[in-house]
Amino acid sequence: MSNEEKIEIRSDVKPDEDKKEDAQFEDHEHVEHEDEISPELELLLHTDPSTGLNDTEVAERTEKFGLNELPERRQNPIIKFLLYFTGPIAYLIEIACIIAAVVGDWLDFGIILALLFINALIGFIEEAKAESALDALRQTLALKTRCWRNGELIEINVKELVPGDIIVLRIGDIVPADAKLLGLGVNGEINETELQIDQSALTGESLPVAKKKGSTVFSSSIVKQGQNLAVVTKTGINTFIGRAANLIAITNEEGHFQKIIGKIGNVLIWSTVILVLIILVYQLVRFRGTPAGDWKEVLEHCLVLTVAAIPVGLPTVMSVTMALGAKQLAQKKVIVKRLTAVEELASVSVLCSDKTGTLTLNELTFDEPWLAGDYTADDILLYSYLAAESGANDPIEFAVRRAAEGSLEVLKTRPAKSLGVPGYKVTAFQPFNPTTKMTEATILDLATNQSFRVAKGAPQVITKLAGGSNDAVNAVNSLARRGLRALGVAKTVPGDLNKFELVGMISLLDPPRPDSAATIRDCNLLGVDVKMITGDQLIIAKEVGARLGMGRVILDANHLVDPTKSEEEVTEHCRRADGFAQVIPEHKYRVVELLQNKGYLVGMTGDGVNDAPALKKANVGIAVEGCTDAARSAADIVLLAPGLSTIIDGVKTSRAIFQRLRSYALYRITSTIHFLLFMFIITLVENWNMPAILLIMICVLNDAATLVISVDNTEISERPDKWRIGQLLTMSTVLAVLLTILSFAHFYVARDVFHVTPYELHSIMYLHISSAPHFVIFSTRVPGYWYKNIPHWIFTVCILATQVLALFFSVYGVFGEGEEVAPCGWPWGIAVLAISLVYFMILDVVKVWLFRRWNFELTAKLSPTPKRKAKLAARGKEALQRERLENAWKKVIDPVEAHQMVAAFKLAAQ
């Protein structure tokens, strides 16, 4: 994203809104996610907490709302397997198989059928490894829960809960359904204590959330502290997690790779069908009434042409290449669950990353404190430790204790079982009080026998307690604006237990992982834009984003559903932003959807239930280490190492695999077009046919050899790879036409100049058609000159071995005159191979020339579709913006500096 674009986003925020936002977060309150409850449902929630529902009410509500479970959707494995026999290429192969059976060509029938089943089996086996996302979501629900029924507290299965049930929530419990806290203890006594709820797996918030009477707790969140009664409000598919499951269930789109293969296959198939049908009709009409015009013989000849021309091995070669690539990724702790994700990862241009636990450590950590007077960082840690409740499970207290124990020498050297601070004795302690918002302790200094008091709590309260200096108030507001969780610490002055002075402010933050900033930088260098998606507050997200070096252009998730903005405006905000805060599952899903609608291939990382819908929707869903079962099952790729660092290895490996796939596609399309052009013209002009056995050998040997392309050396692209179909087809056609010219030269020189026999001509043309297009794969494997990236020796040996075998077939006429084949001799054999080798080097120069001159502007002008016109206009607008920015810089800064800044800007804009 350009700097200018970021400035435009900031200008959208009004000053009054900034002030309002700052004020809102001075107390750093949690932003509550609440579900609306319909009036009809509200009437069912006034259950007597002391008795609960009776059996009749439970039965009625079960009938109305169903069981508290997620619906299970399973696809019959037989149907799933049969689906692999669908698609353009599969249909054509099946038609060819039927024709082979009709004409009694059982050799072709066996070969075609084998290829068909190999394609289906590879796809089915790889896809079968993926677990059901809905099954994993079901497993995240608690199995048993305590519930008031018929005046008794009993334990029931979670799936039996209905709206209106009174349930007991205790520390360690998994919340079994969406429920509203009643502010009562287990036996109905008043209990105003707040519950600490860990809902990071649901909303992405890094800290446990305090829930009080009237607050909603969500299914599958975890009670970290406290206990309370709650009334069930929503069950099953209507819960927060249930909506996530529903989004997963409805996301079942065709993958990007399948679409590309479909496009390539359609072009080749229709070309083959049209040309073969022309030959079929031509021969039936021209040779009508003669043995050569027998429909069975003509049909068999056309069948052989079809089998030799259509890319029957295309799905197999692609699948094997990706399967071997998946094994390479597994060695780098990147597990691929959906095979085509290997290719799609190479094309990802936007990576949406969950913050909590992915970019950050998901643990509250002591940050740089603000200190008053002459106090030091060790002083504030010591006093805050003295005012900490020993053994408290509160994450803030835990972070303070851990920081103090890791920094203070007096704590490092104390006896192992000692809990206090050597040299100090706590004589009185008041735990945290929600009313006063602070913790207080009276301490005896054993060295001086003097007592003092320490207070720790909300920054505003502590600042006011200590007199409220302007510097302290500014520090509180500064920390709040940065999204840091702050704690004020104060102690009494010597000799006066009632007069406090401020020690400073502790700042706490869920810190970025050590490797996250480097990973984001590496992603940017590879042309992948990283966007942070989090359920945390906006200011926290901005602070983390700044620390990660990804900018602070983080927008509130409400921008995604703003009814006052058009779809185009919302999409543009989504494209330009560095991330979004305060999101829920629907928002994450929406981000992915908007970016995909803009034409981006989107990767989404995450670890929680809240990420599962977006993981499923994204082109490549990536579940990070330590993820929930739901995220793991919804994702296409699972990272086994912590953080995102392994994603860089994944992107590089996938781009190498992509280059191999494109290399094979370019070769295969070139080979198919060449074969069709030559055979079509030579059949119509000369009525010349090649023996069926030779055509079958070309098909089998050449496709089998290209399987080893999966181990070939290749170049890794610096930008996200794309299937430029127009470029691919144009380049293939140019190379195929040049190969066709060579084929006609071979044919007429051998027949009319050297006057070889017809059977010898069959051998010569077989060797030529086998070797000339096959050697072109040495050129198509890289965009540059072939010799600048030497092919792998295994790849080279396999390609050459097939042509050496074809050489022996031709030189010795192995198949015999019964198959209309005669030996052509060593001179012809060596000459044909030598010419093919030299010719591929000539074609390599043509390929490089085409690659260098081909660009999007050329495509848009040659084939000006509406989409291409719009994209071309957008690029022109960006060029004008860069020019205006350059002129503005030249007026205010040194020309040399301006030139450097413009160069940096252009590099970033690429």
Side-chain angles (χ1 to χ4, degrees), residues 193-221:
T193 305
E194 294 181 334
L195 264 66
Q196 294 292 324
I197 303 292
D198 180 2
Q199 55 185 40
S200 60
L202 294 169
T203 63
E205 293 165 293
S206 56
L207 296 172
V209 177
K211 299 279 189 174
K212 55 188 177 181
K213 178 181 178 181
S215 297
T216 299
V217 289
F218 296 115
S219 172
S220 290
S221 57

Side-chain angles (χ1 to χ4, degrees), residues 349 594-602 722 867:
S349 54
L594 288 171
L595 291 170
Q596 287 176 333
N597 291 342
K598 195 70 175 175
Y600 294 102
L601 262 72
V602 182
K722 292 181 180 179
K867 187 176 179 181

Side-chain angles (χ1 to χ4, degrees), residues 665-718:
L666 181 57
Y667 152 73
R668 196 63 183 89
I669 298 171
T670 300
S671 178
T672 298
I673 295 175
H674 160 252
F675 181 83
L676 285 173
L677 278 177
F678 176 71
M679 294 305 297
F680 176 73
I681 297 172
I682 206 72
T683 300
L684 296 183
V685 174
E686 299 288 348
N687 192 32
W688 182 84
N689 298 319
M690 184 176 286
I693 186 65
L694 297 180
L695 292 175
I696 293 297
M697 290 309 301
I698 290 173
C699 174
V700 173
L701 279 179
N702 290 9
D703 269 346
T706 51
L707 284 172
V708 295
I709 198 170
S710 55
V711 301
D712 187 28
N713 300 327
T714 188
E715 294 178 1
I716 296 175
S717 172
E718 294 179 357

Side-chain angles (χ1 to χ4, degrees), residues 95 141 154 170 205 257 381 430 491 555 566 573 592 614 654 695 848-849 869 874 878 897:
I95 292 171
L141 294 174
I154 60 173
R170 301 177 300 176
E205 293 165 293
F257 184 68
L381 279 175
Q430 294 181 6
K491 66 177 290 289
L555 302 181
S566 67
H573 275 292
V592 175
S654 67
L695 292 175
V848 172
W849 185 86
K869 286 181 179 178
E878 289 177 2
E897 186 181 356

Side-chain angles (χ1 to χ4, degrees), residues 580-842:
F580 290 92
Q582 293 169 208
V583 300
I584 59 176
E586 287 88 341
H587 290 150
K588 295 188 178 188
Y589 188 94
R590 173 85 166 142
V591 168
V592 175
E593 185 178 46
L594 288 171
L595 291 170
Q596 287 176 333
N597 291 342
K598 195 70 175 175
Y600 294 102
L601 262 72
V602 182
M604 171 71 189
T605 72
D607 61 352
V609 176
N610 63 316
D611 302 316
L615 290 174
K616 189 75 173 178
K617 172 66 175 173
N619 298 96
V620 182
I622 305 166
V624 298
E625 188 264 347
C627 61
T628 62
D629 287 343
R632 185 182 300 112
S633 296
D636 305 305
I637 290 175
V638 179
L639 306 183
L640 298 184
L644 281 182
S645 56
T646 50
I647 202 68
I648 301 300
D649 290 331
V651 169
K652 290 180 178 178
T653 303
S654 67
R655 289 189 182 178
I657 294 165
F658 182 94
Q659 294 297 332
R660 294 175 187 134
L661 294 174
R662 187 171 66 177
S663 166
Y664 174 74
L666 181 57
Y667 152 73
R668 196 63 183 89
I669 298 171
T670 300
S671 178
T672 298
I673 295 175
H674 160 252
F675 181 83
L676 285 173
L677 278 177
F678 176 71
M679 294 305 297
F680 176 73
I681 297 172
I682 206 72
T683 300
L684 296 183
V685 174
E686 299 288 348
N687 192 32
W688 182 84
N689 298 319
M690 184 176 286
I693 186 65
L694 297 180
L695 292 175
I696 293 297
M697 290 309 301
I698 290 173
C699 174
V700 173
L701 279 179
N702 290 9
D703 269 346
T706 51
L707 284 172
V708 295
I709 198 170
S710 55
V711 301
D712 187 28
N713 300 327
T714 188
E715 294 178 1
I716 296 175
S717 172
E718 294 179 357
R719 314 298 300 173
D721 289 306
K722 292 181 180 179
W723 285 100
R724 294 177 173 86
I725 301 297
Q727 181 192 63
L728 201 62
L729 292 175
T730 303
M731 191 170 295
S732 298
T733 302
V734 171
L735 297 178
V737 168
L738 295 175
L739 281 170
T740 303
I741 293 171
L742 179 65
S743 297
F744 279 110
H746 265 84
F747 180 86
Y748 287 113
V749 168
R751 191 190 69 172
D752 299 337
V753 177
F754 289 93
H755 304 290
V756 299
T757 67
Y759 288 2
E760 287 175 338
L761 183 60
H762 287 159
S763 294
I764 292 169
M765 293 309 297
Y766 158 70
L767 182 59
H768 161 72
I769 293 175
S770 175
S771 63
H774 206 47
F775 286 152
V776 171
I777 200 170
F778 287 124
S779 172
T780 63
R781 51 182 293 278
V782 288
Y785 292 109
W786 72 273
Y787 55 82
K788 291 188 176 181
N789 186 290
I790 301 301
H792 194 281
W793 70 269
I794 295 178
F795 177 77
T796 304
V797 167
C798 288
I799 297 298
L800 294 179
T802 58
Q803 300 316 308
V804 170
L805 190 59
L807 174 66
F808 277 97
F809 288 162
S810 301
V811 169
Y812 294 108
V814 171
F815 300 107
E817 296 197 1
E819 295 290 341
E820 302 181 355
V821 178
C824 67
W826 281 102
W828 268 110
I830 297 297
V832 169
L833 282 188
I835 291 171
S836 295
L837 278 169
V838 171
Y839 203 70
F840 106 75
M841 297 178 191
I842 296 172

Side-chain angles (χ1 to χ4, degrees), residues 117-355:
F117 271 90
I118 289 171
N119 291 341
L121 280 171
I122 289 175
F124 180 76
I125 291 170
E126 290 297 328
E127 297 293 340
K129 294 177 181 178
E131 298 174 344
S132 166
L134 295 179
D135 281 345
L137 282 171
R138 287 167 62 102
Q139 292 169 13
T140 64
L141 294 174
L143 298 177
K144 298 279 187 180
T145 188
R146 292 202 303 164
C147 176
W148 281 97
R149 290 271 180 90
N150 300 309
E152 296 182 3
L153 186 60
I154 60 173
E155 189 173 65
I156 64 171
N157 291 325
V158 163
K159 68 178 183 179
E160 297 173 8
L161 286 175
V162 294
D165 261 326
I166 304 298
I167 57 174
V168 177
L169 298 176
R170 301 177 300 176
I171 184 170
D173 283 351
I174 298 176
V175 180
D178 287 3
K180 185 173 289 188
L181 298 181
L182 297 175
L184 301 174
V186 178
N187 297 312
E189 69 277 10
I190 299 297
N191 184 357
E192 297 291 346
T193 305
E194 294 181 334
L195 264 66
Q196 294 292 324
I197 303 292
D198 180 2
Q199 55 185 40
S200 60
L202 294 169
T203 63
E205 293 165 293
S206 56
L207 296 172
V209 177
K211 299 279 189 174
K212 55 188 177 181
K213 178 181 178 181
S215 297
T216 299
V217 289
F218 296 115
S219 172
S220 290
S221 57
I222 302 171
V223 181
K224 303 295 285 187
Q225 189 170 316
Q227 73 169 22
N228 216 305
L229 287 183
V231 58
V232 174
T233 57
K234 293 185 180 181
T235 58
I237 198 67
N238 297 314
T239 61
F240 194 91
I241 187 177
R243 293 202 305 274
N246 188 51
L247 284 174
I248 293 174
I250 64 175
T251 305
N252 208 8
E253 297 179 359
E254 184 183 20
H256 170 257
F257 184 68
Q258 283 90 342
K259 293 177 182 177
I260 296 300
I261 292 299
K263 289 180 181 178
I264 295 173
N266 285 335
V267 171
L268 298 183
I269 286 166
W270 282 110
S271 301
T272 302
V273 169
I274 291 171
L275 295 182
V276 170
L277 281 176
I278 292 174
I279 292 174
L280 176 67
V281 173
Y282 169 78
Q283 291 193 329
L284 286 174
V285 172
R286 180 178 176 183
F287 301 107
R288 184 173 52 188
T290 67
D294 180 66
W295 72 269
K296 214 171 190 180
E297 185 176 334
V298 173
L299 190 61
E300 184 175 354
H301 172 66
C302 289
L303 168 68
V304 174
L305 281 179
T306 304
V307 172
I310 63 173
V312 290
L314 180 65
T316 304
V317 173
M318 296 287 196
S319 296
V320 170
T321 301
M322 288 187 290
L324 292 176
K327 290 183 179 178
Q328 295 173 11
L329 288 171
Q331 295 172 356
K332 301 177 184 295
K333 297 188 176 182
V334 179
I335 306 301
V336 176
K337 291 178 56 203
R338 179 172 60 85
L339 200 58
T340 55
V342 175
E343 175 271 340
E344 290 171 5
L345 182 59
S347 303
V348 165
S349 54
V350 178
L351 181 64
C352 297
S353 176
D354 184 54
K355 178 185 76 68

